[in-house]
Amino acid sequence: FQAEDGIRDVERSRGLGDVYKRQVWMADVSTKEKSLLASLVITLLVFGNFFVDTLEVVLAGEPMASVGTSLVAAVISAIILEIIVQSLLASLSASQKDDERDQLIERMSFRNGYLCLSVGMWIWIAQTTIPTWWTDLPYSPYLTGDLVPVLLLLLFVIAEVTVTVTRLFYYRRGI
C-alpha cells in the first residue's frame, strides 16, 4: 500500500515460496556468461590441480619426469571437460549472435590478457638475461631449467584467466 506521504508500507511475505522464487541467481546470467563461468571453473580446477601437484613434486625433490605426463593429462582433461560442458550449455539454450558489444568486450579482454602475458614474459626475459638485476634475491634450488615449461604454462594460464575474468566483468558491468 502507498500512504499519503509517499512512504510504502512493508510488504508482507506470503510464505517460503516467495523466498525460493527470489533466490534464482542464475536467471539473469546470459548464456555467454554461463559459458565463461564454466570455462573459468574448468581452467582453475584442472590447471590449479596440475600446478599444486607440480609444486609438491618440486618441493619433494622428485624428478620432473612425471610432470610431463601430468601436463598431458591436464590438457586432455581440460579439453574433454570443455567439450562436455559447452555442448551441454549449447543444447540447453538458444545461440546468440555476436554484436558490436560482444566484439568490443572480446577485444578488450584479449588486450588485457596479452598485456598480462607480455609483462610476465618481459619479467622472465629480464630475469634470465640480466642476472645482475636479481642478485639481491635469495638463491632457490627449485628454480631449475626443468621448471621453465611449467612457469611458461603458468603465464599462459594466468593470461587466459585474465581474458575470461575481463569478459565476465564487462558483461556484468556493461561498457
Side-chain angles (χ1 to χ4, degrees):
F1 293 96
Q2 186 87 15
E4 289 181 22
D5 58 358
I7 299 174
R8 300 181 129 246
D9 291 340
V10 177
E11 187 178 314
R12 292 183 162 230
S13 174
R14 288 169 277 180
L16 288 177
D18 288 348
V19 173
Y20 291 123
K21 288 177 190 171
R22 282 187 244 130
Q23 290 181 350
V24 181
W25 63 277
M26 290 296 279
D28 65 337
V29 178
S30 72
T31 304
K32 289 181 184 183
E33 290 171 300
K34 289 177 186 175
S35 173
L36 289 169
L37 280 170
S39 291
L40 181 64
V41 168
I42 290 170
T43 301
L44 290 176
L45 287 177
V46 171
F47 287 106
N49 184 39
F50 167 75
F51 290 123
V52 167
D53 289 347
T54 303
L55 182 64
E56 289 172 358
V57 167
V58 169
L59 293 178
E62 298 174 13
M64 295 285 291
S66 64
V67 173
T69 307
S70 298
L71 175 60
V72 171
V75 170
I76 291 173
S77 299
I79 290 170
I80 290 172
L81 286 171
E82 283 283 343
I83 289 170
I84 292 170
V85 170
Q86 298 302 333
S87 298
L88 235 157
L89 285 172
S91 68
L92 294 175
S93 59
S95 66
Q96 299 172 341
K97 291 198 172 207
D98 287 350
D99 58 2
E100 293 85 18
R101 177 179 170 256
D102 295 324
Q103 293 170 353
L104 179 61
I105 289 173
E106 188 173 330
R107 279 196 309 267
M108 292 171 70
S109 65
F110 283 137
R111 179 200 62 198
N112 291 349
Y114 179 74
L115 178 68
C116 180
L117 183 62
S118 297
V119 167
M121 293 300 287
W122 279 110
I123 290 172
W124 182 267
I125 290 169
Q127 191 265 338
T128 56
T129 58
I130 310 172
T132 57
W133 286 6
W134 311 96
T135 54
D136 295 336
L137 296 176
Y139 172 73
S140 175
Y142 303 117
L143 292 176
T144 63
D146 294 340
L147 275 181
V148 170
V150 175
L151 293 175
L152 290 175
L153 178 65
L154 179 63
L155 286 175
F156 282 106
V157 170
I158 290 171
E160 182 62 29
V161 168
T162 302
V163 167
T164 306
V165 168
T166 302
R167 288 179 76 182
L168 281 169
F169 175 76
Y170 283 122
Y171 275 123
R172 289 275 75 195
R173 180 180 153 256
I175 295 182

